[in-house]
Short mmCIF file of all heavy atoms in Angstrom, two decimals:
data_model
loop_
_atom_site.label_atom_id
_atom_site.label_comp_id
_atom_site.label_asym_id
_atom_site.label_seq_id
_atom_site.Cartn_x
_atom_site.Cartn_y
_atom_site.Cartn_z
N GLN Q 1461 -0.97 -3.62 11.00
CA GLN Q 1461 -2.12 -4.39 11.21
C GLN Q 1461 -1.95 -5.84 10.54
O GLN Q 1461 -2.91 -6.61 10.62
CB GLN Q 1461 -3.33 -3.76 10.50
CG GLN Q 1461 -3.72 -2.34 11.03
CD GLN Q 1461 -4.03 -2.40 12.65
OE1 GLN Q 1461 -4.77 -3.30 13.00
NE2 GLN Q 1461 -3.45 -1.56 13.34
N PHE Q 1462 -0.77 -6.13 9.93
CA PHE Q 1462 -0.47 -7.33 9.40
C PHE Q 1462 -0.53 -8.51 10.46
O PHE Q 1462 -0.13 -8.40 11.57
CB PHE Q 1462 0.79 -7.34 8.73
CG PHE Q 1462 0.87 -6.61 7.46
CD1 PHE Q 1462 2.14 -6.49 6.68
CD2 PHE Q 1462 -0.26 -6.07 6.78
CE1 PHE Q 1462 2.14 -5.83 5.54
CE2 PHE Q 1462 -0.32 -5.41 5.63
CZ PHE Q 1462 0.98 -5.29 5.01
N TYR Q 1463 -0.95 -9.68 10.05
CA TYR Q 1463 -0.89 -10.82 10.83
C TYR Q 1463 0.69 -11.54 10.82
O TYR Q 1463 1.06 -11.99 11.61
CB TYR Q 1463 -1.84 -11.88 10.49
CG TYR Q 1463 -3.10 -11.62 11.10
CD1 TYR Q 1463 -4.10 -10.82 10.25
CD2 TYR Q 1463 -3.68 -12.00 12.25
CE1 TYR Q 1463 -5.42 -10.62 10.81
CE2 TYR Q 1463 -4.81 -11.90 12.75
CZ TYR Q 1463 -5.79 -11.02 12.06
OH TYR Q 1463 -6.93 -10.79 12.58
N THR Q 1464 1.17 -11.34 9.48
CA THR Q 1464 2.56 -11.84 9.36
C THR Q 1464 3.56 -11.25 10.40
O THR Q 1464 3.41 -10.00 10.83
CB THR Q 1464 3.05 -11.55 7.92
OG1 THR Q 1464 4.42 -11.92 7.89
CG2 THR Q 1464 3.08 -10.11 7.58
N LYS Q 1465 4.61 -11.83 10.70
CA LYS Q 1465 5.67 -11.17 11.62
C LYS Q 1465 6.47 -10.27 10.85
O LYS Q 1465 7.07 -9.39 11.45
CB LYS Q 1465 6.57 -12.38 12.20
CG LYS Q 1465 5.88 -13.34 13.17
CD LYS Q 1465 6.92 -14.41 13.63
CE LYS Q 1465 6.24 -15.35 14.61
NZ LYS Q 1465 7.25 -16.39 15.02
N GLY Q 1466 6.45 -10.37 9.59
CA GLY Q 1466 7.25 -9.45 8.79
C GLY Q 1466 6.56 -8.12 8.41
O GLY Q 1466 5.68 -8.08 7.55
N LYS Q 1467 6.87 -7.08 9.16
CA LYS Q 1467 6.06 -5.82 9.08
C LYS Q 1467 6.69 -4.90 8.03
O LYS Q 1467 6.72 -3.61 8.26
CB LYS Q 1467 5.97 -5.25 10.45
CG LYS Q 1467 5.50 -6.11 11.49
CD LYS Q 1467 4.04 -6.57 11.42
CE LYS Q 1467 3.66 -7.35 12.56
NZ LYS Q 1467 2.38 -8.08 12.35
N VAL Q 1468 7.05 -5.42 6.90
CA VAL Q 1468 7.66 -4.55 5.77
C VAL Q 1468 6.96 -4.77 4.56
O VAL Q 1468 6.76 -5.92 4.18
CB VAL Q 1468 9.19 -4.86 5.61
CG1 VAL Q 1468 9.63 -4.03 4.41
CG2 VAL Q 1468 9.95 -4.56 6.90
N SER Q 1469 6.38 -3.71 3.88
CA SER Q 1469 5.72 -3.91 2.63
C SER Q 1469 5.80 -2.59 1.74
O SER Q 1469 5.63 -1.50 2.36
CB SER Q 1469 4.25 -4.09 2.95
OG SER Q 1469 3.40 -4.03 1.77
N PRO Q 1470 6.08 -2.72 0.56
CA PRO Q 1470 6.04 -1.60 -0.41
C PRO Q 1470 4.71 -0.90 -0.44
O PRO Q 1470 4.64 0.29 -0.98
CB PRO Q 1470 6.56 -2.08 -1.62
CG PRO Q 1470 6.19 -3.54 -1.69
CD PRO Q 1470 6.32 -3.97 -0.15
N PHE Q 1471 3.57 -1.61 -0.14
CA PHE Q 1471 2.36 -1.14 -0.25
C PHE Q 1471 1.81 -0.32 1.03
O PHE Q 1471 0.83 0.26 1.02
CB PHE Q 1471 1.21 -2.28 -0.39
CG PHE Q 1471 1.38 -3.16 -1.75
CD1 PHE Q 1471 2.02 -4.16 -1.81
CD2 PHE Q 1471 0.72 -2.58 -2.82
CE1 PHE Q 1471 2.18 -4.92 -3.00
CE2 PHE Q 1471 0.70 -3.28 -4.02
CZ PHE Q 1471 1.44 -4.50 -4.14
N ASP Q 1472 2.66 -0.33 2.05
CA ASP Q 1472 2.39 0.35 3.27
C ASP Q 1472 2.10 1.82 2.96
O ASP Q 1472 2.75 2.59 2.30
CB ASP Q 1472 3.53 0.23 4.17
CG ASP Q 1472 3.19 0.92 5.64
OD1 ASP Q 1472 2.14 0.56 6.14
OD2 ASP Q 1472 3.99 1.68 6.01
N GLY Q 1473 0.96 2.21 3.50
CA GLY Q 1473 0.46 3.62 3.44
C GLY Q 1473 -0.31 3.96 2.12
O GLY Q 1473 -0.86 5.01 1.94
N MET Q 1474 -0.30 3.00 1.18
CA MET Q 1474 -0.98 3.16 -0.05
C MET Q 1474 -2.56 2.85 0.04
O MET Q 1474 -2.86 1.98 0.69
CB MET Q 1474 -0.33 2.30 -1.25
CG MET Q 1474 1.07 2.71 -1.61
SD MET Q 1474 1.59 1.62 -2.93
CE MET Q 1474 3.30 2.16 -3.11
N THR Q 1475 -3.24 3.61 -0.66
CA THR Q 1475 -4.68 3.27 -0.81
C THR Q 1475 -4.94 2.34 -1.99
O THR Q 1475 -4.54 2.72 -3.17
CB THR Q 1475 -5.66 4.58 -0.98
OG1 THR Q 1475 -5.34 5.38 0.17
CG2 THR Q 1475 -7.10 4.22 -1.23
N VAL Q 1476 -5.52 1.22 -1.75
CA VAL Q 1476 -5.65 0.14 -2.83
C VAL Q 1476 -7.05 -0.24 -2.96
O VAL Q 1476 -7.82 0.10 -2.02
CB VAL Q 1476 -4.73 -0.99 -2.40
CG1 VAL Q 1476 -3.27 -0.67 -2.55
CG2 VAL Q 1476 -5.09 -1.58 -1.09
N THR Q 1477 -7.34 -1.05 -3.93
CA THR Q 1477 -8.62 -1.48 -4.26
C THR Q 1477 -8.64 -3.10 -4.30
O THR Q 1477 -7.77 -3.60 -4.95
CB THR Q 1477 -9.30 -1.01 -5.57
OG1 THR Q 1477 -9.22 0.41 -5.51
CG2 THR Q 1477 -10.75 -1.48 -5.73
N GLY Q 1478 -9.65 -3.66 -3.65
CA GLY Q 1478 -9.63 -5.16 -3.52
C GLY Q 1478 -9.39 -5.66 -2.23
O GLY Q 1478 -8.32 -5.43 -1.66
N LYS Q 1479 -10.38 -6.42 -1.63
CA LYS Q 1479 -10.03 -6.94 -0.35
C LYS Q 1479 -10.83 -8.30 -0.06
O LYS Q 1479 -11.98 -8.35 -0.36
CB LYS Q 1479 -10.48 -5.94 0.81
CG LYS Q 1479 -10.09 -6.19 2.23
CD LYS Q 1479 -10.38 -4.92 3.09
CE LYS Q 1479 -9.88 -5.39 4.47
NZ LYS Q 1479 -8.36 -5.38 4.62
N ALA Q 1480 -10.19 -9.14 0.49
CA ALA Q 1480 -10.67 -10.36 0.95
C ALA Q 1480 -11.66 -10.17 2.07
O ALA Q 1480 -11.33 -9.48 3.00
CB ALA Q 1480 -9.59 -11.46 1.29
N LYS Q 1481 -12.80 -10.83 2.08
CA LYS Q 1481 -13.94 -10.60 3.08
C LYS Q 1481 -14.13 -11.96 3.77
O LYS Q 1481 -14.47 -11.77 4.96
CB LYS Q 1481 -15.12 -10.10 2.40
CG LYS Q 1481 -14.98 -9.01 1.56
CD LYS Q 1481 -14.60 -7.63 2.27
CE LYS Q 1481 -15.78 -7.23 3.16
NZ LYS Q 1481 -15.41 -5.89 3.87
#
Side-chain angles (χ1 to χ4, degrees):
Q1461 300 300 313
F1462 284 174
Y1463 281 90
T1464 176
K1465 294 181 182 181
K1467 309 298 184 184
V1468 175
S1469 169
F1471 291 94
D1472 184 49
M1474 294 184 182
T1475 298
V1476 293
T1477 301
K1479 191 169 182 63
K1481 306 295 288 182

